[in-house]
Amino acid sequence: MINPNKGDSIFTAWKLDTLDSIAIVLSLWFGYFRYPFEPLFCALACIPIIGITRSISKGNATFDNYIKNISSGDSMDLNIVSLYILSVSIALLVGTFTSFECDNYYALAIAGAICFVVFVFILFITHKDIRGAFMLRSKLYIVFILCILFYSYGLIYGLNCLFDLTKHERYKTKIISLYRSPSEQRLRKYFAVISPWGEHKSNTEIAIPPEQYWLFKEGDSAYLELHEGLFEIPWYNLNDE
């Protein structure tokens, strides 16, 4: 949570507690470096659960930070969604969806929706004041619901791909072209356009790691590996062997 120190200015009065600080650091690291991917993903996935469980155990089941800051004689009240929820939900969604290629978005939509409904149901049970306070703080709750949605899809898709132990199918394909985004070096993304494979009857664009970008040349042969997914959400990746 964010805790105010009375008498300080608005810029110095807010302190991040340990969980918020850890969430922000790991979220930024996951978004910027993404290494080591699996431990970072697991740590981020656990943070909101730990935070909400902690608040429930203290008898203060809440997901928001209520700030009252007094600066220059003026009072200011502000409600924001807890940073350990907000930062993690965005990091998981962006990190997983830009790291794995989905082959069936309908299956992903269904699995993510089920996960979202389960989380909302649990939170409505543990946070009994949600229904009564919704109209009073509807904007805050809308942001919170969006965070649950992002977290649900990031979590379910990440688990589906990271812990997929199913056998995969291999399809021989060909590198049509390679290109990279014009972003700054550390944030640059690399892509390959490959020839039709499996049930895909047209060329497919796929994100690839930097080492593959420098390894492949236009016209090279490659193998597309199609995985079933832990939750039966098919996904694929490119391999040079």
Side-chain angles (χ1 to χ4, degrees):
M1 292 183 181
I2 299 179
N3 302 311
N5 289 328
K6 292 184 178 180
D8 292 341
S9 70
I10 186 174
F11 300 105
T12 61
W14 300 350
K15 282 187 176 181
L16 299 179
D17 75 359
T18 303
L19 194 62
D20 283 322
S21 301
I22 293 174
I24 291 174
V25 171
L26 292 184
S27 296
L28 291 175
W29 187 276
F30 188 68
Y32 197 66
F33 297 104
R34 295 190 192 170
Y35 179 84
F37 193 97
E38 186 173 324
L40 281 173
F41 172 86
C42 293
L44 286 171
C46 291
I47 286 176
I49 297 173
I50 292 172
I52 294 177
T53 302
R54 181 185 63 173
S55 69
I56 294 173
S57 66
K58 292 180 178 180
N60 180 29
T62 182
F63 57 83
D64 63 316
N65 293 319
Y66 182 72
I67 302 169
K68 186 173 183 179
N69 197 333
I70 301 177
S71 178
S72 302
D74 297 327
S75 63
M76 181 189 68
D77 295 341
L78 176 64
N79 283 93
I80 63 173
V81 174
S82 295
L83 296 179
Y84 68 78
I85 296 175
L86 182 62
S87 61
V88 168
S89 63
I90 295 173
L92 284 183
L93 183 74
V94 174
T96 55
F97 274 75
T98 55
S99 299
F100 304 106
E101 298 287 343
C102 182
D103 192 47
N104 189 331
Y105 283 98
Y106 177 77
L108 175 59
I110 296 299
I114 293 173
C115 184
F116 170 71
V117 170
V118 170
F119 280 131
V120 170
F121 178 75
I122 293 173
L123 286 165
F124 263 73
I125 293 176
T126 57
H127 296 65
K128 296 179 181 180
D129 64 330
I130 285 182
R131 285 163 289 184
F134 184 83
M135 295 305 296
L136 297 176
R137 294 184 291 171
S138 58
K139 292 182 179 179
L140 175 68
Y141 281 93
I142 289 173
V143 173
F144 179 57
I145 292 297
L146 285 176
C147 287
I148 300 176
L149 186 66
F150 294 166
Y151 178 80
S152 299
Y153 275 93
L155 178 68
I156 207 74
Y157 190 42
L159 292 174
N160 176 79
C161 301
L162 278 176
F163 301 99
D164 179 12
L165 301 178
T166 61
K167 294 182 179 180
H168 58 265
E169 299 178 20
R170 285 168 62 90
Y171 298 91
K172 191 171 184 178
T173 185
K174 184 178 180 181
I175 304 296
I176 303 298
S177 63
L178 297 160
Y179 69 96
R180 55 186 178 177
S181 65
S183 307
E184 184 266 331
Q185 178 67 34
R186 181 65 66 177
L187 299 176
R188 186 169 291 162
K189 305 299 179 185
Y190 300 85
F191 302 90
V193 177
I194 58 177
S195 60
W197 58 275
E199 296 182 359
H200 293 251
K201 305 305 179 184
S202 58
N203 294 344
T204 303
E205 177 187 275
I206 180 173
I208 58 175
E211 55 269 23
Q212 284 190 341
Y213 176 84
W214 299 111
L215 175 66
F216 287 126
K217 295 185 179 67
E218 292 184 9
D220 283 353
S221 296
Y223 289 93
L224 199 294
E225 297 180 346
L226 178 62
H227 306 262
E228 292 182 15
L230 178 63
F231 300 116
E232 298 185 356
I233 305 171
W235 63 285
Y236 57 87
N237 64 288
L238 197 63
N239 203 324
D240 59 321
E241 297 180 349

